[in-house]
Every structure is written in structure tokens, then in C-alpha cells.
Amino acid sequence: MAKGKGSIFFCQECGYESVKWLGQCPTCKAWNSFVEEPVLGKKTGNHKMTRGIEIEPVCLSKISMEKEERLDTKIKELNRVLGGGIVSGSLVLVGGDPGIGKSTLLLQVCRNLAEEKKVLYISGEESLKQIKLRADRVGKFSDNLLLLCETNLNSIQSAIEKVSPDVVIIDSIQTMYNEEVASAPGSVSQVRETTGILMQIAKGMGIAIFIVGHVTKEGVVAGPRVLEHMVDTVLYFEGDRHASYRILRGVKNRFGSTNEIGVFEMRENGLEEVENPSEYMLNGKPKGASGSVVTCAMEGTRPLLLEIQALVCRTNFGIPRRTTAGTDYNRVNLLMAVLEKRMGFQLGDCDAYVNITGGMKMNEPSMDLGIVLALISSYKDKAIPDNAIIFGEVGLSGEVRGVNMAEQRILEAQKMGFEICVLPKVTKEGIRQKTQMQLIGVENLREAVKWVLGGK
Ligand code: TYD
Ligand code: MG
């Protein structure tokens, strides 16, 4: 590669800058992540968006909190993740795999906002016709929504100034470029520069800007991590391509908690909110089948009932196979080792498969007891009652350890019609709330297994 004067090397993973190429990044330790980018012609510190901001320090008591403007997106699941709606002047990054539904979600947000507010949707990826096709599937739009197909940031800036909308959508940041930066769109310096300018537009004009960011194979927004530092809110849209549900997760939020998730389902006419995810996840659970357990995991502050399925069968080869879908492979191996050592089950010559149904990915320790009992239930071919839910963390000595937020979990299970709850003994003792559920506190695996096998 010809080394131009003033070129610089960036780590694509973390944004580390170096004057020479390095095989391994000294900060994030990624290999072969350096790319060369020219920095010719870049005029630093010369952005136009500094108009009329008076600088005057104020004390905390003088800051008025009455008028916290939040725009209602009319999508409850999204409002929840944003912390109550869109804050004016904020920059929100929406990341996710290609085809997961980012553009669809934002178009739906546009539709709802355009009923009262002025919205500008700028696409660098699709033509106006393509947007129209999608919009026809999603619903009726008011004329307050304006569309623009553009990738040059200077033109975008003038358009925003001319239209002065309340909300702007940039789809996607990787297609935008600033003429003053010599490198190609999507490169580290372009992404960083364009985000910086959008940030100034958002703050300077008090408009909310949503930017769409593509995700790399490793699951981070392409471009440097600095992008995440620069914006106010980072939301990730994730889900299994083959399952229709999608989860919107707050990773960073300067205006709310990051403990919230929004659940959606992709339908033929756009994304639909799923208000009761537990019901959705348990849909189609077999009755009286061995190896099937319902557990309650927490997604932030939200309890979610999930079905764990396990299949244990004799192996045909010398080395037993262990496969997991939706949960941590090593954790399942660990739990199987605990079962062998502490309970004397001969699992060494068995294949084991563990699956969280619905395509959900969950690694909470409170699912341990559910996984263990699903394995035993399948191994002994003894079904666990359909009206029972099970949660608890399992330690290496076979002890069942306490979990937090037990009351919420029990309440959710009760709402869904469950009657028995197997939980850690210490957790049961800490429960103050009255419940109609039958609570079975277990101290160790032996007690839990005894409950499954009925004293056999
Ligand atoms: P899209 O919003 O284009 O994804 P992204 O912007 O994240 O790349 O999502 C497109 C996918 O969603 C596409 O595979 C088709 C599907 N889809 C539906 O199933 N129903 C719909 O109503 C729409 C608009 C899209
Ligand atoms: Mg898109």
C-alpha cells in the first residue's frame, strides 16, 4: 500500500491511532485490525455548527427540570428502552445485523411522529421508491414526513437547516461522508467525523437524531468504539434471523436506564409490539414431555418465562457430544460435571443437547437449576409438572444459591397460570409477599432431584 504523506493507521475495532502499521492493537489486542487512512485535506476544528451558543456556567439549583421534552413515539416498547420517549437534542445510535429491521422500526417511528411533528428521513442506502414500497407495507403516512436520498453530509446539513425538523433519521452512518475527510465512507475517520458533526447539529438545533449503524461479525457497531462514546444512547436491535421476534436492547442511555428491553415481532406489515413476551416464548410448549422445564429469567427489570429443553441419550461414539442453543456451552458442561460428581449420574457416556426455545439467547445464572432439572428429567425420562417453574443458581458443590428479584419472577409465573415454583431455600425465606403459588425451597441438587424423581 502506498503510504501517502499524512496518512494514519486506525484500529478498526477500537479506533486506536498509530503512525505506523501494527500487527496487534496495543489497546484492544485485536490482530490485523489496522487500516491505513489518508488524513490529507482534513481541516480540523473548522465546523460551522457553533452558531449562537452562549457560554455561561450555571449552578445545579438554577437548572430547571420542568420542561423535559420527550417525544412520544407511540411505540411503548421503544419508549421504555429510550427511558420514556425521545429527548430533543439527543443522538441515538441504533445498531443491528443487516435485515434485522432497523429501517422498518425507524420508519414506523417516523409514521407515528409525523402525525404531529416534522420528521426528515435521510437514506443513503435505499432509493425513494424502495422507501415508498416499505412505507406502503407499514401504513399511512402524513405529509410531515420528508424523505431525502443523500450521502453528502454538507448537503444533509443544509437540508436540515432548511427544513428544521424535530427529528432526523440517518440511515446509515456507514454510507455518509464528509468532503473534508479524504477517506472512504464507512471508514473509521469518516464515521467519527460525520457522527461528530451530527452531534453538533443535534445539540445546536435541539433536534433528535437517530443514526443507524451496521454491526460487524463480532457484534459491535462497525467503526470505532468512539462512536458509542460520542452518542447519547446506544440501542441494539437483535434477534434470530429464523425466529420472528426481535429484541431492542439499551446498551447505553444518558437519559434513562439500560436495564430495559423492548420485544417486537416482525410481521408482513412491519414490526408489532409484543406486550407479553412470556406468553410468546412459551407458545407451543409440549405437555407432559420429559426434558422440558419452564424457568424465569430477568431481562433487566423485566421477568421473562422461557422454556428450556434438554435431550440426553446414549452416545454412539467414544466422545460424547454436547450441544447448546441459546445458552452458554461451557456453563452446561460445568453443570453436567456437577451432576456427575455430586449426584453420581453417569453422564460421561451420554450425548446432551440443551435448547432455549423461541430462539432466545440467555445466560443468566438463575437458569442453572432449570437446565440441571431438564437434563435429569430427560435422562430419567420423567416429566416435570407442567404447572411448575424452576429457577436458582447451582454452585460447584451442588448447592442451590439464591437469586435476586424472586418476587417479580413469581408474580410473572403466577400471571401466566403456574402453580408451583421450585426456588432456592434462602430466596424462599426472603419472600415477604403473599402468593397463591406453592413454593418449594431447595437447598441443594439432591433435594431438587428428589422433587423431580419423586423420592426414587
Ligand atoms: P430492514 O428494516 O430493511 O432491516 P435493516 O434496516 O435492519 O437492514 O428489514 C427488512 C427485513 O424485514 C426484510 O428481510 C423483510 C422484513 N420485513 C417484513 O417481514 N415485514 C415488513 O413489513 C417489512 C417492512 C420488512
Ligand atoms: Mg436498512
PDB file of all heavy atoms in Angstrom, residues 99-101 237-248 262-266 271-272 274 280:
ATOM      1  N   GLY A  99     -30.775  -6.471   7.848  1.00  0.00           N
ATOM      2  CA  GLY A  99     -32.045  -7.176   7.656  1.00  0.00           C
ATOM      3  C   GLY A  99     -32.794  -7.487   8.925  1.00  0.00           C
ATOM      4  O   GLY A  99     -33.812  -8.168   8.902  1.00  0.00           O
ATOM      5  N   ILE A 100     -32.339  -6.957  10.052  1.00  0.00           N
ATOM      6  CA  ILE A 100     -32.999  -7.287  11.318  1.00  0.00           C
ATOM      7  C   ILE A 100     -34.259  -6.439  11.494  1.00  0.00           C
ATOM      8  O   ILE A 100     -35.192  -6.808  12.197  1.00  0.00           O
ATOM      9  CB  ILE A 100     -32.002  -7.133  12.486  1.00  0.00           C
ATOM     10  CG1 ILE A 100     -32.406  -7.970  13.687  1.00  0.00           C
ATOM     11  CG2 ILE A 100     -31.811  -5.702  12.910  1.00  0.00           C
ATOM     12  CD1 ILE A 100     -31.955  -9.378  13.603  1.00  0.00           C
ATOM     13  N   GLY A 101     -34.290  -5.269  10.850  1.00  0.00           N
ATOM     14  CA  GLY A 101     -35.494  -4.442  10.936  1.00  0.00           C
ATOM     15  C   GLY A 101     -35.256  -3.029  11.435  1.00  0.00           C
ATOM     16  O   GLY A 101     -36.194  -2.360  11.876  1.00  0.00           O
ATOM     17  N   PHE A 237     -30.506  -3.747  18.129  1.00  0.00           N
ATOM     18  CA  PHE A 237     -31.669  -4.485  17.698  1.00  0.00           C
ATOM     19  C   PHE A 237     -31.170  -5.885  17.389  1.00  0.00           C
ATOM     20  O   PHE A 237     -30.320  -6.060  16.513  1.00  0.00           O
ATOM     21  CB  PHE A 237     -32.225  -3.825  16.436  1.00  0.00           C
ATOM     22  CG  PHE A 237     -33.697  -3.975  16.274  1.00  0.00           C
ATOM     23  CD1 PHE A 237     -34.505  -4.166  17.362  1.00  0.00           C
ATOM     24  CD2 PHE A 237     -34.278  -3.911  15.029  1.00  0.00           C
ATOM     25  CE1 PHE A 237     -35.875  -4.294  17.221  1.00  0.00           C
ATOM     26  CE2 PHE A 237     -35.637  -4.031  14.870  1.00  0.00           C
ATOM     27  CZ  PHE A 237     -36.431  -4.229  15.979  1.00  0.00           C
ATOM     28  N   GLU A 238     -31.631  -6.861  18.112  1.00  0.00           N
ATOM     29  CA  GLU A 238     -31.104  -8.200  17.890  1.00  0.00           C
ATOM     30  C   GLU A 238     -32.206  -9.233  17.813  1.00  0.00           C
ATOM     31  O   GLU A 238     -33.354  -8.960  18.167  1.00  0.00           O
ATOM     32  CB  GLU A 238     -30.101  -8.562  18.999  1.00  0.00           C
ATOM     33  CG  GLU A 238     -30.613  -8.312  20.393  1.00  0.00           C
ATOM     34  CD  GLU A 238     -29.513  -8.430  21.432  1.00  0.00           C
ATOM     35  OE1 GLU A 238     -28.502  -7.708  21.313  1.00  0.00           O
ATOM     36  OE2 GLU A 238     -29.669  -9.226  22.359  1.00  0.00           O
ATOM     37  N   GLY A 239     -31.851 -10.392  17.378  1.00  0.00           N
ATOM     38  CA  GLY A 239     -32.837 -11.455  17.262  1.00  0.00           C
ATOM     39  C   GLY A 239     -32.319 -12.523  16.338  1.00  0.00           C
ATOM     40  O   GLY A 239     -31.312 -12.328  15.658  1.00  0.00           O
ATOM     41  N   ASP A 240     -33.018 -13.616  16.315  1.00  0.00           N
ATOM     42  CA  ASP A 240     -32.619 -14.711  15.470  1.00  0.00           C
ATOM     43  C   ASP A 240     -33.246 -14.485  14.106  1.00  0.00           C
ATOM     44  O   ASP A 240     -34.421 -14.178  14.010  1.00  0.00           O
ATOM     45  CB  ASP A 240     -33.129 -16.011  16.100  1.00  0.00           C
ATOM     46  CG  ASP A 240     -32.424 -17.198  15.520  1.00  0.00           C
ATOM     47  OD1 ASP A 240     -31.265 -17.054  15.157  1.00  0.00           O
ATOM     48  OD2 ASP A 240     -33.044 -18.258  15.413  1.00  0.00           O
ATOM     49  N   ARG A 241     -32.453 -14.654  13.058  1.00  0.00           N
ATOM     50  CA  ARG A 241     -32.983 -14.453  11.708  1.00  0.00           C
ATOM     51  C   ARG A 241     -34.154 -15.372  11.414  1.00  0.00           C
ATOM     52  O   ARG A 241     -35.056 -15.049  10.670  1.00  0.00           O
ATOM     53  CB  ARG A 241     -31.895 -14.759  10.697  1.00  0.00           C
ATOM     54  CG  ARG A 241     -31.226 -13.541  10.212  1.00  0.00           C
ATOM     55  CD  ARG A 241     -29.982 -13.878   9.468  1.00  0.00           C
ATOM     56  NE  ARG A 241     -29.354 -12.642   9.057  1.00  0.00           N
ATOM     57  CZ  ARG A 241     -29.671 -12.011   7.951  1.00  0.00           C
ATOM     58  NH1 ARG A 241     -30.566 -12.480   7.152  1.00  0.00           N
ATOM     59  NH2 ARG A 241     -29.089 -10.881   7.649  1.00  0.00           N
ATOM     60  N   HIS A 242     -34.103 -16.561  12.005  1.00  0.00           N
ATOM     61  CA  HIS A 242     -35.132 -17.551  11.679  1.00  0.00           C
ATOM     62  C   HIS A 242     -36.366 -17.416  12.563  1.00  0.00           C
ATOM     63  O   HIS A 242     -37.428 -17.914  12.215  1.00  0.00           O
ATOM     64  CB  HIS A 242     -34.538 -18.950  11.772  1.00  0.00           C
ATOM     65  CG  HIS A 242     -33.268 -19.059  10.989  1.00  0.00           C
ATOM     66  ND1 HIS A 242     -33.273 -18.967   9.624  1.00  0.00           N
ATOM     67  CD2 HIS A 242     -31.982 -19.169  11.378  1.00  0.00           C
ATOM     68  CE1 HIS A 242     -32.008 -19.046   9.202  1.00  0.00           C
ATOM     69  NE2 HIS A 242     -31.220 -19.160  10.246  1.00  0.00           N
ATOM     70  N   ALA A 243     -36.197 -16.766  13.697  1.00  0.00           N
ATOM     71  CA  ALA A 243     -37.370 -16.539  14.539  1.00  0.00           C
ATOM     72  C   ALA A 243     -37.886 -15.142  14.235  1.00  0.00           C
ATOM     73  O   ALA A 243     -37.128 -14.279  13.796  1.00  0.00           O
ATOM     74  CB  ALA A 243     -36.975 -16.643  16.006  1.00  0.00           C
ATOM     75  N   SER A 244     -39.169 -14.922  14.454  1.00  0.00           N
ATOM     76  CA  SER A 244     -39.695 -13.622  14.059  1.00  0.00           C
ATOM     77  C   SER A 244     -39.605 -12.576  15.159  1.00  0.00           C
ATOM     78  O   SER A 244     -39.842 -11.413  14.920  1.00  0.00           O
ATOM     79  CB  SER A 244     -41.144 -13.764  13.608  1.00  0.00           C
ATOM     80  OG  SER A 244     -41.893 -14.291  14.658  1.00  0.00           O
ATOM     81  N   TYR A 245     -39.227 -12.990  16.373  1.00  0.00           N
ATOM     82  CA  TYR A 245     -39.179 -11.973  17.420  1.00  0.00           C
ATOM     83  C   TYR A 245     -37.860 -11.193  17.354  1.00  0.00           C
ATOM     84  O   TYR A 245     -36.851 -11.692  16.876  1.00  0.00           O
ATOM     85  CB  TYR A 245     -39.370 -12.608  18.802  1.00  0.00           C
ATOM     86  CG  TYR A 245     -38.087 -13.088  19.399  1.00  0.00           C
ATOM     87  CD1 TYR A 245     -37.313 -12.229  20.169  1.00  0.00           C
ATOM     88  CD2 TYR A 245     -37.597 -14.353  19.162  1.00  0.00           C
ATOM     89  CE1 TYR A 245     -36.107 -12.622  20.678  1.00  0.00           C
ATOM     90  CE2 TYR A 245     -36.393 -14.760  19.660  1.00  0.00           C
ATOM     91  CZ  TYR A 245     -35.647 -13.888  20.417  1.00  0.00           C
ATOM     92  OH  TYR A 245     -34.432 -14.271  20.899  1.00  0.00           O
ATOM     93  N   ARG A 246     -37.908  -9.959  17.799  1.00  0.00           N
ATOM     94  CA  ARG A 246     -36.732  -9.080  17.815  1.00  0.00           C
ATOM     95  C   ARG A 246     -36.663  -8.407  19.175  1.00  0.00           C
ATOM     96  O   ARG A 246     -37.691  -8.038  19.730  1.00  0.00           O
ATOM     97  CB  ARG A 246     -36.872  -7.978  16.769  1.00  0.00           C
ATOM     98  CG  ARG A 246     -37.131  -8.450  15.359  1.00  0.00           C
ATOM     99  CD  ARG A 246     -35.842  -8.848  14.684  1.00  0.00           C
ATOM    100  NE  ARG A 246     -36.040  -9.164  13.296  1.00  0.00           N
ATOM    101  CZ  ARG A 246     -36.259 -10.376  12.814  1.00  0.00           C
ATOM    102  NH1 ARG A 246     -36.335 -11.400  13.639  1.00  0.00           N
ATOM    103  NH2 ARG A 246     -36.405 -10.576  11.529  1.00  0.00           N
ATOM    104  N   ILE A 247     -35.438  -8.222  19.651  1.00  0.00           N
ATOM    105  CA  ILE A 247     -35.284  -7.549  20.935  1.00  0.00           C
ATOM    106  C   ILE A 247     -34.488  -6.269  20.750  1.00  0.00           C
ATOM    107  O   ILE A 247     -33.451  -6.265  20.097  1.00  0.00           O
ATOM    108  CB  ILE A 247     -34.598  -8.483  21.954  1.00  0.00           C
ATOM    109  CG1 ILE A 247     -35.604  -9.547  22.359  1.00  0.00           C
ATOM    110  CG2 ILE A 247     -34.098  -7.722  23.166  1.00  0.00           C
ATOM    111  CD1 ILE A 247     -35.197 -10.404  23.478  1.00  0.00           C
ATOM    112  N   LEU A 248     -35.025  -5.201  21.304  1.00  0.00           N
ATOM    113  CA  LEU A 248     -34.335  -3.917  21.265  1.00  0.00           C
ATOM    114  C   LEU A 248     -33.749  -3.704  22.656  1.00  0.00           C
ATOM    115  O   LEU A 248     -34.475  -3.680  23.640  1.00  0.00           O
ATOM    116  CB  LEU A 248     -35.336  -2.815  20.921  1.00  0.00           C
ATOM    117  CG  LEU A 248     -34.745  -1.457  20.632  1.00  0.00           C
ATOM    118  CD1 LEU A 248     -33.929  -1.483  19.354  1.00  0.00           C
ATOM    119  CD2 LEU A 248     -35.843  -0.415  20.486  1.00  0.00           C
ATOM    120  N   GLY A 262     -37.076  -4.027  24.723  1.00  0.00           N
ATOM    121  CA  GLY A 262     -38.358  -3.955  24.030  1.00  0.00           C
ATOM    122  C   GLY A 262     -38.457  -5.201  23.168  1.00  0.00           C
ATOM    123  O   GLY A 262     -37.478  -5.607  22.549  1.00  0.00           O
ATOM    124  N   VAL A 263     -39.621  -5.807  23.144  1.00  0.00           N
ATOM    125  CA  VAL A 263     -39.769  -7.025  22.345  1.00  0.00           C
ATOM    126  C   VAL A 263     -40.730  -6.757  21.190  1.00  0.00           C
ATOM    127  O   VAL A 263     -41.799  -6.178  21.373  1.00  0.00           O
ATOM    128  CB  VAL A 263     -40.289  -8.193  23.218  1.00  0.00           C
ATOM    129  CG1 VAL A 263     -40.304  -9.492  22.429  1.00  0.00           C
ATOM    130  CG2 VAL A 263     -39.430  -8.353  24.455  1.00  0.00           C
ATOM    131  N   PHE A 264     -40.323  -7.158  19.999  1.00  0.00           N
ATOM    132  CA  PHE A 264     -41.125  -6.947  18.796  1.00  0.00           C
ATOM    133  C   PHE A 264     -41.241  -8.247  18.015  1.00  0.00           C
ATOM    134  O   PHE A 264     -40.427  -9.152  18.173  1.00  0.00           O
ATOM    135  CB  PHE A 264     -40.452  -5.920  17.879  1.00  0.00           C
ATOM    136  CG  PHE A 264     -40.337  -4.550  18.459  1.00  0.00           C
ATOM    137  CD1 PHE A 264     -39.230  -4.185  19.210  1.00  0.00           C
ATOM    138  CD2 PHE A 264     -41.341  -3.621  18.267  1.00  0.00           C
ATOM    139  CE1 PHE A 264     -39.119  -2.916  19.744  1.00  0.00           C
ATOM    140  CE2 PHE A 264     -41.241  -2.344  18.793  1.00  0.00           C
ATOM    141  CZ  PHE A 264     -40.130  -1.997  19.534  1.00  0.00           C
ATOM    142  N   GLU A 265     -42.241  -8.279  17.172  1.00  0.00           N
ATOM    143  CA  GLU A 265     -42.346  -9.402  16.253  1.00  0.00           C
ATOM    144  C   GLU A 265     -42.419  -8.841  14.836  1.00  0.00           C
ATOM    145  O   GLU A 265     -43.146  -7.883  14.578  1.00  0.00           O
ATOM    146  CB  GLU A 265     -43.616 -10.200  16.581  1.00  0.00           C
ATOM    147  CG  GLU A 265     -43.696 -11.471  15.803  1.00  0.00           C
ATOM    148  CD  GLU A 265     -44.997 -12.213  16.017  1.00  0.00           C
ATOM    149  OE1 GLU A 265     -45.795 -11.806  16.889  1.00  0.00           O
ATOM    150  OE2 GLU A 265     -45.218 -13.186  15.300  1.00  0.00           O
ATOM    151  N   MET A 266     -41.663  -9.437  13.916  1.00  0.00           N
ATOM    152  CA  MET A 266     -41.691  -8.972  12.530  1.00  0.00           C
ATOM    153  C   MET A 266     -42.865  -9.636  11.807  1.00  0.00           C
ATOM    154  O   MET A 266     -42.927 -10.846  11.712  1.00  0.00           O
ATOM    155  CB  MET A 266     -40.362  -9.316  11.854  1.00  0.00           C
ATOM    156  CG  MET A 266     -40.224  -8.800  10.445  1.00  0.00           C
ATOM    157  SD  MET A 266     -40.362  -7.018  10.259  1.00  0.00           S
ATOM    158  CE  MET A 266     -38.657  -6.525  10.183  1.00  0.00           C
ATOM    159  N   LEU A 271     -43.180  -4.089  12.156  1.00  0.00           N
ATOM    160  CA  LEU A 271     -42.905  -4.657  13.479  1.00  0.00           C
ATOM    161  C   LEU A 271     -44.088  -4.451  14.397  1.00  0.00           C
ATOM    162  O   LEU A 271     -44.659  -3.362  14.458  1.00  0.00           O
ATOM    163  CB  LEU A 271     -41.678  -3.979  14.072  1.00  0.00           C
ATOM    164  CG  LEU A 271     -40.354  -4.355  13.425  1.00  0.00           C
ATOM    165  CD1 LEU A 271     -39.335  -3.264  13.635  1.00  0.00           C
ATOM    166  CD2 LEU A 271     -39.843  -5.671  13.969  1.00  0.00           C
ATOM    167  N   GLU A 272     -44.438  -5.497  15.108  1.00  0.00           N
ATOM    168  CA  GLU A 272     -45.551  -5.418  16.044  1.00  0.00           C
ATOM    169  C   GLU A 272     -44.976  -5.545  17.456  1.00  0.00           C
ATOM    170  O   GLU A 272     -44.075  -6.346  17.684  1.00  0.00           O
ATOM    171  CB  GLU A 272     -46.499  -6.576  15.771  1.00  0.00           C
ATOM    172  CG  GLU A 272     -47.799  -6.448  16.477  1.00  0.00           C
ATOM    173  CD  GLU A 272     -48.944  -6.306  15.479  1.00  0.00           C
ATOM    174  OE1 GLU A 272     -48.719  -5.937  14.309  1.00  0.00           O
ATOM    175  OE2 GLU A 272     -50.058  -6.572  15.899  1.00  0.00           O
ATOM    176  N   VAL A 274     -44.659  -6.780  21.204  1.00  0.00           N
ATOM    177  CA  VAL A 274     -45.084  -7.964  21.954  1.00  0.00           C
ATOM    178  C   VAL A 274     -45.176  -7.536  23.413  1.00  0.00           C
ATOM    179  O   VAL A 274     -44.161  -7.307  24.059  1.00  0.00           O
ATOM    180  CB  VAL A 274     -44.073  -9.116  21.804  1.00  0.00           C
ATOM    181  CG1 VAL A 274     -44.489 -10.316  22.622  1.00  0.00           C
ATOM    182  CG2 VAL A 274     -43.932  -9.498  20.348  1.00  0.00           C
ATOM    183  N   TYR A 280     -45.533 -15.358  24.592  1.00  0.00           N
ATOM    184  CA  TYR A 280     -44.970 -15.572  23.262  1.00  0.00           C
ATOM    185  C   TYR A 280     -43.902 -16.668  23.287  1.00  0.00           C
ATOM    186  O   TYR A 280     -43.843 -17.530  22.419  1.00  0.00           O
ATOM    187  CB  TYR A 280     -44.374 -14.240  22.820  1.00  0.00           C
ATOM    188  CG  TYR A 280     -43.875 -14.215  21.408  1.00  0.00           C
ATOM    189  CD1 TYR A 280     -44.760 -14.264  20.347  1.00  0.00           C
ATOM    190  CD2 TYR A 280     -42.513 -14.144  21.154  1.00  0.00           C
ATOM    191  CE1 TYR A 280     -44.293 -14.234  19.053  1.00  0.00           C
ATOM    192  CE2 TYR A 280     -42.049 -14.112  19.864  1.00  0.00           C
ATOM    193  CZ  TYR A 280     -42.933 -14.154  18.818  1.00  0.00           C
ATOM    194  OH  TYR A 280     -42.476 -14.132  17.533  1.00  0.00           O
TER     195      TYR A 280
END
